[in-house]
Amino acid sequence: MSWYRTREQNWKDELELLNRFLDIPVLYILATNDTALRPELSRNMERNIKHLTRAEVVASHWALWERPEECNTHIKSWIEGVVFGRKVKL
């Protein structure tokens, strides 16, 4: 619970991340009904993540528990295609 008590410090610490870029493969699975990490918060991720793959499931914040088969299907497909298929260089 300390994370909530240190919100201002967390915000200051994360400011330096605004201009960082990832040049590695990343899979992002969007939970369409997530009220904690709302879908619109992921807008523009592509600006900072060069090799971003997006997928989505109809679930809340606990997508892995609510839709494990769908999440695992997305993960498996991404690993086979991007990681083992070398769609991008690691």
Side-chain angles (χ1 to χ4, degrees), residues 33-71:
N33 299 324
D34 192 335
T35 56
L37 299 171
R38 297 181 317 276
E40 60 268 18
L41 293 174
S42 73
R43 209 176 301 134
N44 301 318
M45 286 173 69
E46 291 82 359
R47 259 191 268 170
N48 297 74
I49 304 172
K50 184 177 180 180
H51 302 289
L52 177 68
T53 301
R54 288 178 171 270
E56 68 178 53
V57 294
V58 178
S60 73
H61 189 67
W62 307 107
L64 289 170
W65 281 266
E66 293 176 28
R67 300 280 192 255
E69 294 84 12
E70 289 178 56
C71 290

Side-chain angles (χ1 to χ4, degrees), residues 2-17:
S2 291
W3 187 85
Y4 293 101
R5 294 188 309 176
T6 60
R7 283 179 69 169
E8 182 179 357
Q9 187 59 48
N10 294 342
W11 179 78
K12 289 176 184 176
D13 290 345
E14 292 170 2
L15 280 176
E16 68 183 55
L17 299 176

Side-chain angles (χ1 to χ4, degrees), residues 53-90:
T53 301
R54 288 178 171 270
E56 68 178 53
V57 294
V58 178
S60 73
H61 189 67
W62 307 107
L64 289 170
W65 281 266
E66 293 176 28
R67 300 280 192 255
E69 294 84 12
E70 289 178 56
C71 290
N72 286 334
T73 297
H74 290 304
I75 294 166
K76 180 178 187 258
S77 175
W78 182 79
I79 288 173
E80 289 174 348
V82 175
V83 177
F84 295 142
R86 298 281 195 237
K87 287 185 181 175
V88 295
K89 189 173 183 172
L90 296 176

